[in-house]
Amino acid sequence: MKLFRQSLFLLNVIAVIAVMSSAEDLYSQKVNFGFKAGPDVSGISAGEFNPYFREESRLGFGIFGFCDLLNNKYISAGAEAGFIQKGFKYSIISFDDSGEINTDNSVSTGFNYLDLSVYIKFIYRQKGVSPFFSLTPVAGVYLGYTQTSEVPLDSIGVITNNYIFDSLKTVSFGIKFGIGAEFNKLIKNMPVLFEIRYNPDFIFSYNKYSVQMKNRVIEFNAGIKF
């Protein structure tokens, strides 16, 4: 499975690079390229989850490259590829004989994804600041997970985590709703953009044995176009 994921990752990167490299030949208009990155706040939408877990959000990050393939006065559309870290934090709660909380161990789990997407941006172009709203259908390729814990997990916890998190669906689908603005005069001939995007997944990344998990992320990105 690991080799399959690595091979799929490489093939998708090659495909995106090929599309971006040939884009200017396929369209007569100017193509804009850019990069953006920033922190994110992620969590999970859970159906039925173990009552001895308390879920919390966690901080991650994302980095993306993109190209505008279509530009007119009010609309911009293109393709985007990047890396994003999703995930969640949870507290493992145990009780003593009197029912009082005995331990409360916080565990942070990051899910690493390759993001491949297309987007359409509705933009109000101005000389100084151009605000926009964007819709970005996205496919995420799961690359594995990382985990840190305040207290070492016992053997049952390690086995359970390995079983669940190694079994997440290889491909997820969702959509990103974004708002932001392009600042055209901060750097000469190089628009600077800031955006906030909300990305809920459409499908559960895990759905077995009364455990359901579906990713959700809020991104805060800053970048440049050239």
Side-chain angles (χ1 to χ4, degrees):
M1 180 63 72
K2 185 176 181 180
L3 180 60
F4 170 78
R5 288 174 182 163
Q6 291 174 340
S7 301
L8 187 59
F9 174 86
L10 182 60
L11 288 173
N12 279 288
V13 169
I14 292 172
V16 170
I17 291 174
V19 170
M20 289 184 171
S21 299
S22 61
E24 202 154 3
D25 295 329
L26 295 174
Y27 294 85
S28 59
Q29 59 184 298
K30 177 177 172 59
V31 174
N32 296 116
F33 294 87
F35 296 94
K36 57 188 174 183
D40 65 57
V41 179
S42 62
I44 60 170
S45 298
E48 298 179 20
F49 209 67
N50 194 316
Y52 299 107
F53 289 81
R54 186 170 60 214
E55 305 154 45
E56 303 170 15
S57 58
R58 73 182 300 276
L59 290 175
F61 68 94
I63 182 169
F64 310 91
F66 64 91
C67 63
D68 292 338
L69 301 175
L70 170 67
N71 287 291
N72 63 33
K73 187 175 181 180
Y74 297 109
I75 293 177
S76 178
E80 182 178 296
F83 170 86
I84 189 169
Q85 190 174 62
K86 305 179 183 181
F88 70 113
K89 291 174 67 175
Y90 62 92
S91 298
I92 301 175
I93 301 171
S94 62
F95 301 88
D96 58 24
D97 294 338
S98 63
E100 297 295 325
I101 293 178
N102 189 27
T103 62
D104 194 342
N105 178 23
S106 180
V107 181
S108 178
T109 304
F111 302 139
N112 302 316
Y113 281 87
L114 167 69
D115 256 24
L116 298 171
S117 61
V118 293
Y119 59 85
I120 182 168
K121 184 185 296 183
F122 303 93
I123 186 167
Y124 182 59
R125 300 188 189 277
Q126 298 292 297
K127 290 182 179 181
V129 181
S130 301
F132 64 79
F133 168 74
S134 64
L135 292 173
T136 308
V138 58
V141 181
Y142 183 52
L143 304 176
Y145 74 97
T146 57
Q147 192 170 70
T148 58
S149 175
E150 293 178 352
V151 178
L153 297 176
D154 58 26
S155 58
I156 295 177
V158 171
I159 293 172
T160 301
N161 283 347
N162 288 344
Y163 180 81
I164 293 176
F165 301 145
D166 283 336
S167 302
L168 299 191
K169 290 186 177 179
T170 303
V171 180
S172 64
F173 298 96
I175 190 167
K176 301 184 181 186
F177 304 92
I179 57 172
E182 296 181 2
F183 294 80
N184 304 309
K185 294 184 177 182
L186 294 180
I187 302 177
K188 186 177 180 180
N189 299 324
M190 191 175 292
V192 177
L193 68 89
F194 297 93
E195 68 177 2
I196 300 174
R197 298 194 294 188
Y198 175 59
N199 174 205
D201 278 357
F202 289 151
I203 60 176
F204 287 106
S205 56
Y206 189 87
N207 187 6
K208 294 179 181 179
Y209 311 116
S210 297
V211 177
Q212 297 175 315
M213 293 190 300
K214 186 185 295 184
N215 290 306
R216 63 177 189 272
V217 186
I218 300 175
E219 303 174 17
F220 303 88
N221 294 319
I224 58 173
K225 295 204 307 183
F226 50 89

